Amino acid sequence: MSTHEQVTEHKSFSEPDETREFSNGKAEILKIGHCEVGRFTFKPGWRWSNDIRPLAQTPSCQAPHFQYHVAGKLAILMDDGTEIIAGPGDITSLPKGHDAWVVGDETVVVVDWFGASNYARKV
């Protein structure tokens, strides 16, 4: 079987392949279809520049993301000054170079198809 042959797979975030915990949240990673998909959970008060920057050791998030927003509201500030607020049902495509934070008192949950591999991994 070649390494790119398609195989039927079924996994659940109830049993992630890896969990990365960090201040005010966690990243749960599934390895499936020769890819990694992440479910990120951010508690109220979470902010990338406060809670992830010490792990990433970069001035802003350098992981690009392609995300489906499941719950809560997430503010995103791009390095170029563009700011958006994403909520449940939204999809965001973010290039590297941004900060983000939870808006309000509801936990944020996003599913990320691009950028989960190295997110919140200690340098």
Side-chain angles (χ1 to χ4, degrees):
M1 174 169 48
S2 80
T3 58
H4 296 292
E5 187 173 322
Q6 205 166 3
V7 177
T8 301
E9 294 181 76
H10 175 247
K11 290 192 169 190
S12 171
F13 280 113
S14 65
E15 296 181 17
D17 293 307
E18 181 181 358
T19 300
R20 300 177 198 144
E21 297 197 20
F22 46 84
S23 180
N24 290 314
K26 65 182 175 181
E28 298 164 293
I29 311 297
L30 291 179
K31 297 175 183 178
I32 187 166
H34 305 291
C35 298
E36 291 185 340
V37 177
R39 178 173 67 180
F40 304 154
T41 303
F42 307 126
K43 296 176 185 173
W46 176 88
R47 185 172 183 137
W48 185 92
S49 54
N50 297 332
D51 298 310
I52 304 297
R53 184 186 344 222
L55 298 172
Q57 299 180 4
T58 57
S60 60
C61 182
Q62 297 301 298
H65 300 286
F66 184 66
Q67 301 174 323
Y68 174 71
H69 296 257
V70 178
K73 289 188 178 181
L74 188 67
I76 301 154
L77 176 62
M78 302 304 298
D79 287 352
D80 70 3
T82 302
E83 186 171 346
I84 60 172
I85 296 179
D90 291 347
I91 295 177
T92 53
S93 177
L94 307 173
K96 66 181 184 173
H98 53 271
D99 193 5
W101 59 93
V102 173
V103 175
D105 295 330
E106 186 178 348
T107 296
V108 168
V109 178
V110 299
V111 176
D112 192 339
W113 281 271
F114 191 77
S117 299
N118 294 313
Y119 190 80
R121 184 169 295 197
K122 291 182 181 177
V123 176

